[in-house]
Amino acid sequence: MSDQSARPPREPQSTEVVVEGFEDFHVPTTVHLNGPAEGIPRVVDTARGLARAAEQLAEATGPVAIDTERASGFRFGQRAFLVQIRREGAGTILIDPEAVGSLASVNEALSGVEWVLHAATQDLPCLRDLDMTPDILFDTELGGRLLGLRKVGLASMTEELLGFTLSKEHSAVDWSKRPLPQDWLNYAALDVEVLVQLRWATEERLVEAGKLDWARQEFEAVRTAPTPPPRKDPWRRTHGIGNVRGRRKLTAVRNLWTARENLAKHKDLSPSRLLPDSAIIAAANAMPRTVPQLLATPGFHGRSASREAPRWLTAVQEARLTEDPVPHNVPSDALPPVKGWDTKRPEAAARLKAIKPAVAEHAETVGMPTENLVTPELLRRFCWQPPRSTSDDAVAQRLTELGVRQWQVEQVTPVIGRTWRELRAQRRAEKHADDSPSGTEPDTSAGTSEQQ
């Protein structure tokens, strides 16, 4: 950008190795980037500055690197407090969305341009809230997973594929702070400094591994994934709720969770900064009747607990007096816990025990984590409710119905089909042996493509 602060010192710090016999020659293994090449840009925080940034991005060329910084653990929700953008010809642009609001003009400027993000699922939701959605996506972190890299963090991949090291000391700071310190802005700008270079290096590795088409399917799936619906009864995910017994106590958990959520939203604070989950569980189990009793409950200490004591106590009292306490359980389409399959549906448990390790072995063969070859939840759903036939065609069709991507279907169908047929043949042989007269050998020559 044209508005830039003075360029900070950029003196790469090398980690060197000494080769035996060549002690006078020092070979750098990595280069530490301690500042953006063009300096730290001034943060865009006006409508005029945003319009100028959009113009510069529209005139620039090539893919665009994008990152966001949130204030998780400090502020309510997961909105972005800083957006970093870098494109050839425009340099690095830092935008304060709290000051300028919608970034629709930037989104329009990047129409048809490939966006490069690292771990896109973390950034896309808050970018959508700012009216930014990519037309084409390249996710370097996901590409690293498909390559089977041991570490897929931005700093780790940058070091392994490009030979640059990046500092990560400001990743969990309060990005809602204003003004943002210069060293934080330096860190934020560096996150997009070499992201496009990393994109090309990742693609090169994907081509060499024959996985580029797989990656493209995965990127598109991430880009087009629908916004998940609001979670039903989110209070049931309160940590430690398994230790709460009784409908009224569960109602107290709900009431306290809801009161905390509403207050956190009003104050724009992370709910945990007002009241930890452990305090909600303790109060629900104790069901205090007075403020002193409440404040004597573990977790109810500090300014928020005492100042808001009447609010918390009201939540507990309403749970005690309600004529309609919450039920212990609610209808759900979630699968039962796997540990209960042996009694609820033993044939499904047997399928999972056979198929899961076979898929894991194939994932190791193709060099990627099992969860990237096929989502564990979808594999469980397949085993819980499989097709009638054990044929590869039937397996592939069922996997597709469950939402498994085409490249994944092609990879795991032969493995699942073969393993399932072997399991059915084994169980048939065992049943035949049990039914055979003593001293006779079972006939195991029957075909293995039977119906369930």
Side-chain angles (χ1 to χ4, degrees), residues 145-421:
R145 290 185 182 277
L146 296 178
L147 287 170
L149 300 184
R150 189 170 61 89
K151 295 181 179 180
V152 293
L154 178 60
S156 297
M157 283 189 62
T158 299
E159 182 172 354
E160 180 172 348
L161 273 61
L162 300 178
F164 298 128
T165 60
L166 302 172
S167 300
K168 300 300 291 181
E169 67 270 16
H170 300 306
S171 60
V173 299
D174 181 5
W175 286 94
S176 68
K177 181 177 179 179
R178 294 295 183 271
L180 287 167
Q182 284 295 103
D183 57 334
W184 294 15
L185 294 174
N186 184 73
Y187 159 88
L190 281 173
D191 270 358
V192 292
E193 177 82 357
V194 293
L195 190 53
V196 171
Q197 289 177 248
L198 182 62
R199 174 247 184 272
W200 295 119
T202 302
E203 181 179 81
E204 184 177 355
R205 290 280 192 96
L206 288 168
V207 170
E208 292 172 355
K211 297 178 179 179
L212 182 58
D213 183 59
W214 301 0
R216 285 174 174 159
Q217 291 184 45
E218 290 299 287
F219 301 160
E220 184 64 7
V222 170
R223 188 188 73 84
T224 58
T227 301
R231 188 183 299 276
K232 186 176 182 180
D233 290 347
W235 60 270
R236 290 185 183 272
R237 294 176 64 85
T238 304
H239 184 69
I241 197 171
N243 298 321
V244 178
R245 299 289 183 268
R247 294 177 60 190
R248 292 197 181 279
K249 291 183 177 182
L250 282 175
T251 305
V253 173
R254 181 200 64 182
N255 291 358
L256 286 164
W257 186 94
T258 303
R260 183 185 66 173
E261 194 78 357
N262 292 337
L263 183 61
K265 185 175 183 179
H266 175 72
K267 290 181 173 290
D268 191 18
L269 290 174
S270 171
S272 62
R273 294 178 73 84
L274 294 174
L275 201 65
D277 280 6
S278 58
I280 290 179
I281 299 303
N285 280 323
M287 297 294 282
R289 294 177 178 272
T290 66
V291 168
Q293 289 177 352
L294 175 74
L295 296 180
T297 305
F300 282 83
H301 49 75
R303 190 180 309 170
S304 293
S306 57
R307 180 182 297 171
E308 301 295 338
R311 181 189 303 269
W312 313 132
L313 190 62
T314 297
V316 175
Q317 289 173 335
E318 289 177 352
R320 181 184 294 108
L321 299 175
T322 184
E323 296 181 359
D324 185 26
V326 299
H328 285 290
N329 300 298
V330 293
S332 171
D333 62 353
L335 293 175
V338 173
K339 62 183 179 182
W341 286 23
D342 282 323
T343 55
K344 290 186 176 182
R345 195 173 293 185
E347 68 279 7
R351 274 190 295 271
L352 185 62
K353 289 175 183 176
I355 292 173
K356 183 178 177 180
V359 170
E361 182 179 351
H362 186 67
E364 186 174 350
T365 299
V366 298
M368 71 178 64
T370 304
E371 60 267 24
N372 290 113
L373 181 60
V374 59
T375 306
E377 171 69 11
L378 298 184
L379 187 61
R380 288 192 292 267
R381 287 190 177 276
F382 176 91
C383 292
W384 182 260
Q385 192 173 6
R388 291 182 57 83
S389 170
T390 61
S391 69
D392 281 1
D393 286 345
V395 169
Q397 181 178 346
R398 178 59 179 148
L399 290 171
T400 302
E401 291 171 355
L402 288 170
V404 179
R405 252 84 75 188
Q406 184 58 40
W407 74 269
Q408 296 172 321
V409 171
E410 293 170 357
Q411 286 295 311
V412 301
T413 289
V415 177
I416 293 176
R418 181 179 64 252
T419 305
W420 188 12
R421 289 189 292 271

Side-chain angles (χ1 to χ4, degrees), residues 63-176:
V64 59
I66 299 180
D67 190 25
T68 67
E69 303 297 345
R70 298 173 295 279
S72 304
F74 296 93
R75 297 291 182 174
F76 185 82
Q78 295 294 321
R79 68 188 189 275
F81 284 90
L82 188 70
V83 177
Q84 307 101 281
I85 305 176
R86 182 176 177 83
R87 192 179 185 200
E88 185 66 33
T92 296
I93 298 172
L94 304 180
I95 302 175
D96 179 358
E98 292 288 287
V100 302
S102 171
L103 301 187
S105 59
V106 172
N107 189 68
E108 184 178 355
L110 297 176
S111 176
V113 176
E114 180 187 82
W115 292 19
V116 183
L117 287 87
H118 192 82
T121 54
Q122 298 180 23
D123 296 300
L124 287 178
C126 62
L127 287 170
R128 291 191 185 104
D129 290 342
L130 296 171
D131 302 315
M132 290 188 66
T133 304
D135 293 326
I136 311 168
L137 175 67
F138 193 103
D139 187 334
T140 49
E141 189 257 7
L142 184 50
R145 290 185 182 277
L146 296 178
L147 287 170
L149 300 184
R150 189 170 61 89
K151 295 181 179 180
V152 293
L154 178 60
S156 297
M157 283 189 62
T158 299
E159 182 172 354
E160 180 172 348
L161 273 61
L162 300 178
F164 298 128
T165 60
L166 302 172
S167 300
K168 300 300 291 181
E169 67 270 16
H170 300 306
S171 60
V173 299
D174 181 5
W175 286 94
S176 68

